Each structure stands twice: as structure tokens, then as C-alpha cells.
Amino acid sequence: MNKFETKHWTSDTVAADLEHAIHEHRLPPGTKLGEDELAEAYGISRTIVRAALLALSHRRLVELKRNRGAFVAQPTVRDAREVFEARALLEPRTAHSAAERMTDEDLALLRSNIASEHEALDAGENGRALFLSGQFHAEIARIADQTTVEGFISELISRSSLIIALYWRRRAALCETQAHHALLEAFANRDGALAEQLMKSHLLDLVASLDLRNVTQPPTSLREALKR
Amino acid sequence: MNKFETKHWTSDTVAADLEHAIHEHRLPPGTKLGEDELAEAYGISRTIVRAALLALSHRRLVELKRNRGAFVAQPTVRDAREVFEARALLEPRTAHSAAERMTDEDLALLRSNIASEHEALDAGENGRALFLSGQFHAEIARIADQTTVEGFISELISRSSLIIALYWRRRAALCETQAHHALLEAFANRDGALAEQLMKSHLLDLVASLDLRNVTQPPTSLREALKR
DNA sequence: GTATACAATCTTGCGTGCAAGGCTGCGTCC
DNA sequence: GGACGCAGCCTTGCACGCAAGATTGTATAC
């Protein structure tokens, strides 16, 4: 597997590619990301790989264990609660701002995102659907035009994909279609207060779909998994 | 200048040391951070320096310009507004949580912080006072026991120190003594609602002390500074 | 069959050196 | 004196190789 040897990979593009793969659950939590393996896959030296992994560790998507290697992060139950609490602090106000700044182009893009997510689901591409679902939120943050908060939300959304991989218990689609449609309606009406309220509800709904009972942590090794 | 050759510097400790120096305004915005220079100063190779600089760039404290080098970041007026808006979203609720979780040890630590800040001011050590003032906020975030939000707040506080370096217009001490004391009182009474309200006011007061009129950006070079 | 010790192999940590790009200084021309 | 071009030097980008640490496999003892 040598990915697109003709493409010029930088640490930023490698990090983004890996993040995308993590987001789509192609690289599940706990996956080992070996430097040599990645260097060979991307056709670059380990120097660039290391920089990419460092970047991902700063976003909490990858855990670097000294002398052991890099692994896709495995958020704890506590991490999960924290991430959604942080989202609850940031995203409702962001949705409010987005509604007030919404352009027709923005609206069209959000609609297109929902349609693409449906297509992905219909095609059985759950990873892609998850990514697009997260992108809906990321786009709202972008439209709100506050890059500092957008950066935080972007990180939280990516981390959410890991949490969903580990703790999602609902069989249905990831974000309820109805919730995204209702938000779209509020945006179309430039109704900030409604958008804010809907985003609050939507995030609560997401948390409710996670199995965060005080169960033991996800198994981190075969030994642990076989203990039961 | 070879700093403590006997000490074993890692990229994490170098990054922390640089961040501390930035926070205390010993490394002002715009300062060039050359790889070779830092490597010699810390007695390490450039490899470690690069990792440290990369870490600081992820915290927005350092700007990496390709083929040109690393520079202490220079937040724009827009950045300044964004940072304090983000703080306004996160810190009041965090103060509320901290009040509810406050222990006597926590209280003592916050008191000690205020006292140390006063000592620094009396000794004319404004940089140190600024750092301690920021630490007061960071401690509140730590006490609130939500590490995800704490991480964001920590980054925002550090970035605030750069903003203060560029845009602070008040002659008085950095955070009004009265504001920190009032918060301490609310914490002593475990009054979450009051702590939340006081933190909101405090942050508004901080923003009001910044000169964020739509003036031209801070000069980024001698040429620009001499244009007037 | 199980436990332990040790050697071999694999992977990471990180120093070093070379190529590429940017900056500065000098010389020339107008 | 000012503008422009070019060479030389400085700094960054990043590949590579070696040392250190972790993991795995094998042999031995009970």
C-alpha cells in the first residue's frame, strides 16, 4: 500500500488524511500507527510522519506512548462526558451566530451536506455518513465566523467520532435526520434563538444515545477483553 | 546563554519553558525563535526544538512561517475579540463548577496566588504578576475538574497574555485586585451563581481594558513602524 | 505443561548532515 | 544617491542512521 506516490505529502496533509480516516472509523480506536508503516504507505520519511502524529496528538486523536508508539486514541467514559459538555457550552451559541450570518450559499451547502449524508447511508457507507454528519456541525461553526471557537468545535467533533465508535448504542443513523432538518429550517428563517435551542436539544439527544453507564472501560488489550 | 546544561530538556519541557517566557512577556510578540539559537541555548539538538515549536504553534503561541522560521505570535484585533468571546463562553460556567467543588486547599491556593501576584507587583515584576494573574484563572479551571474545557481555557489564557502585550491600555494592575477577591469570596461561600456572574463581569472588564478600536494592526516590521 | 531467562528483532528517540529556500551585502549602472 | 542584480551566507526542511528501549521468540528448568 503506497498511497499516491505522485502526490506531495506534507505533515499537514498526512495529519488531515489520518484524521479523516479516524473520523470515518477506518482507523478504529486503539489502532497502532507505526512510524515506518506510515512512512512507507505515504512514501515519505519518518520525520514527516512524526510531525503529523504530533499534530494529531495535540488534537487528542492520537495517543503517543513513549518508546511504544502512536495509537488512535481511546476516549474514556469521562472523556466522553467532557467532550459533550464542552460542545454544549460552545455549539448552541455558535448555532445562534450562524443563523444570524446565514447566506443562501451557506444554506445550500448545509442542504447538500444532508443530502450527501443520506446517500452515504443508503449506500451503506456508515463511516462516510458519520464524517458528513460531523461536517454539518463543523460547517455551522465555520458560518458563525469565529475561528477560535471553530477550532475548538472542530477538535471536539473529531473526538466525538472516536466516542461514537466506542459508545454508540443506537441502531439508527448517527445524528437524527429530523434534528438537522429542524436546524436547517431555523437557519433558513435566520432564527438565532430557535437554532440555539435546537442545537442544545440535539446535543442532549446525542449524549442520550451513548452508553455511558458506569461500565468498565473499553478493553485495551486482548488480556483485558478475555478477563470476563 | 546555555540554560542549565545539567538539566535534561525534552520537547515538552522546552515548550513549557518558552510558553512561560512568552506569558511573562520576556519573549514579546513577533520575536524570532531560531532553531539553532534555541538548540544552543538549551543544549539540545534541533530535532527537539522543532517538536517544541510545533507544540507551541498548535497552541497558537508561535507562528511557523515556512522557510522563514518561527515567531512569537502576534494576535490581530480580531483574534483578541475572538479569544475573549471564547473565554466568555467557557469561564463563567467553569467558575460556577469550581465554586461547587471548592475545597479548603483549593481556596488556600487561590489566596496564595493573589498574595504572590501582589508581591510581584510590589517588586516591579510585571511579567511575573501577569503570569500569576493568568494562573488564577487556570487554577479555577483546574478546580472545576473538566480537563477538556480546562485545556481550552489554558490555551486562551496564554493567548490572552500576547493580546495584553499588544493591546493593554490600562496603567493599573492587570486583573483588578477587587475582581479576584470578589471571586475568592464567592468561592469561599461555594456560591456558584455568584461566581459565574462575577467571572462574566471580570471578563467584560478585561476586554474593556484592551484598546481594540479599529486601529491599524501592530507594526510587524521596522518598515511598517516607520511609515507614519 | 508452565514459568522464567535470555537473545534477537523490531520500533522509537533523536542527532546530524545535506539540499533548498530566504536574506543580506556588495557591485554595477543610471 | 538610488535601484537593481547577483553571489554568498544563513536558516529551515527533512532524510538517514545509530543508540536505546520494548517486544517477541526460543531454550531451559521444574
Side-chain angles (χ1 to χ4, degrees):
Chain A
M1 175 173 81
N2 210 334
K3 314 182 61 154
F4 318 128
E5 282 202 27
T6 53
K7 179 170 181 181
H8 179 61
W9 291 99
T10 67
S11 63
D12 288 338
T13 57
V14 170
D17 197 51
L18 289 175
E19 181 163 343
H20 195 178
I22 289 169
H23 206 145
E24 295 194 344
H25 293 169
R26 283 182 280 123
L27 290 177
T31 307
K32 175 155 177 147
L33 305 172
E35 293 182 356
D36 272 344
E37 195 175 354
L38 290 176
E40 186 175 340
Y42 286 98
I44 52 179
S45 83
R46 283 171 51 217
T47 309
I48 310 297
V49 168
R50 297 172 62 79
L53 291 175
L54 198 55
L56 290 173
S57 77
H58 286 119
R59 289 177 65 80
R60 307 295 174 85
L61 295 181
V62 162
E63 191 176 3
L64 301 180
K65 299 181 182 180
R66 186 176 175 90
N67 293 328
R68 299 227 190 147
F71 301 82
V72 177
Q74 296 179 285
T76 62
V77 166
R78 182 193 170 107
D79 291 330
R81 291 189 200 281
E82 288 191 355
V83 163
F84 280 92
E85 277 170 23
R87 290 183 71 175
L89 287 180
L90 296 174
E91 286 194 58
R93 284 307 306 184
T94 299
H96 189 128
S97 298
E100 289 174 348
R101 317 180 76 93
M102 192 68 56
T103 67
D104 289 344
E105 288 73 37
D106 294 332
L107 264 181
L109 197 92
L110 291 174
R111 279 203 185 93
S112 170
N113 170 286
I114 293 177
S116 299
E117 187 184 340
H118 288 172
E119 284 170 25
L121 278 173
D122 291 346
E125 297 171 354
N126 288 343
R128 179 167 156 74
L130 172 63
F131 175 74
L132 289 166
S133 191
Q135 286 308 104
F136 182 80
H137 289 254
E139 279 298 320
I140 292 166
R142 181 191 59 78
I143 292 159
D145 196 31
Q146 221 272 33
T147 59
T148 299
V149 171
E150 182 191 350
F152 293 155
I153 289 174
S154 168
E155 180 181 322
L156 293 170
I157 289 165
S158 290
R159 291 182 71 192
S160 296
S161 72
L162 291 175
I163 290 158
I164 286 163
L166 292 172
Y167 303 111
W168 194 256
R169 67 181 180 180
R170 210 159 65 186
R171 292 204 169 233
L174 299 163
C175 288
E176 277 234 323
T177 299
Q178 182 54 27
H180 282 194
H181 273 125
L183 275 166
L184 202 57
E185 193 74 18
F187 291 142
N189 293 326
R190 275 70 171 177
D191 189 339
L194 180 58
E196 182 169 350
Q197 188 57 43
L198 288 170
M199 183 59 86
K200 277 185 193 170
S201 301
H202 180 34
L203 291 171
L204 286 176
D205 182 56
L206 282 185
V207 176
S209 303
L210 295 167
D211 185 359
L212 300 182
R213 293 168 299 181
N214 209 10
V215 295
T216 52
Q217 299 281 36
T220 56
S221 64
L222 268 184
R223 168 186 286 189
E224 256 188 274
L226 297 177
K227 253 186 198 165
R228 313 226 186 132
Chain B
M1 178 177 76
N2 208 336
K3 316 182 60 155
F4 318 129
E5 281 202 27
T6 54
K7 179 170 180 179
H8 180 61
W9 290 98
T10 67
S11 63
D12 288 339
T13 57
V14 171
D17 197 53
L18 290 173
E19 181 163 344
H20 193 177
I22 288 168
H23 206 145
E24 294 195 345
H25 292 168
R26 284 182 279 124
L27 290 177
T31 307
K32 174 154 177 149
L33 305 173
E35 292 182 357
D36 272 343
E37 195 174 357
L38 290 177
E40 187 175 339
Y42 286 98
I44 54 180
S45 81
R46 283 171 51 214
T47 308
I48 310 297
V49 168
R50 297 173 63 77
L53 291 176
L54 198 55
L56 291 174
S57 78
H58 286 121
R59 287 178 65 80
R60 307 293 175 86
L61 297 180
V62 163
E63 192 177 1
L64 301 180
K65 299 180 183 179
R66 186 177 175 90
N67 292 325
R68 298 223 191 152
F71 301 83
V72 177
Q74 297 179 283
T76 62
V77 166
R78 183 192 168 110
D79 291 331
R81 292 188 200 282
E82 288 191 355
V83 163
F84 280 92
E85 276 171 24
R87 289 183 71 175
L89 287 179
L90 297 173
E91 286 195 59
R93 282 308 306 184
T94 300
H96 189 128
S97 298
E100 289 173 350
R101 319 180 75 93
M102 192 67 58
T103 68
D104 290 342
E105 288 76 35
D106 294 331
L107 264 181
L109 197 90
L110 291 174
R111 279 206 183 91
S112 171
N113 170 285
I114 293 177
S116 297
E117 187 185 341
H118 287 172
E119 285 170 25
L121 279 174
D122 291 345
E125 297 170 355
N126 288 344
R128 179 166 154 75
L130 172 63
F131 175 74
L132 290 166
S133 190
Q135 286 308 104
F136 182 80
H137 288 257
E139 279 298 322
I140 293 166
R142 181 192 58 79
I143 291 160
D145 196 30
Q146 220 273 31
T147 58
T148 299
V149 172
E150 183 192 351
F152 292 154
I153 289 174
S154 169
E155 180 181 322
L156 293 170
I157 289 166
S158 290
R159 292 181 70 190
S160 295
S161 72
L162 291 175
I163 289 158
I164 286 164
L166 293 171
Y167 303 112
W168 195 257
R169 68 182 179 183
R170 211 161 62 185
R171 292 207 168 234
L174 299 163
C175 287
E176 278 235 321
T177 298
Q178 181 56 30
H180 282 194
H181 272 125
L183 275 165
L184 202 58
E185 194 73 19
F187 291 141
N189 293 325
R190 274 67 171 178
D191 189 338
L194 180 58
E196 182 169 351
Q197 188 57 43
L198 289 170
M199 183 59 86
K200 277 186 191 169
S201 302
H202 181 34
L203 291 170
L204 287 175
D205 182 56
L206 283 185
V207 176
S209 303
L210 295 167
D211 186 359
L212 298 182
R213 292 168 301 181
N214 210 11
V215 297
T216 53
Q217 300 280 35
T220 57
S221 65
L222 269 183
R223 168 188 285 191
E224 255 188 271
L226 296 176
K227 253 186 197 164
R228 316 230 183 125

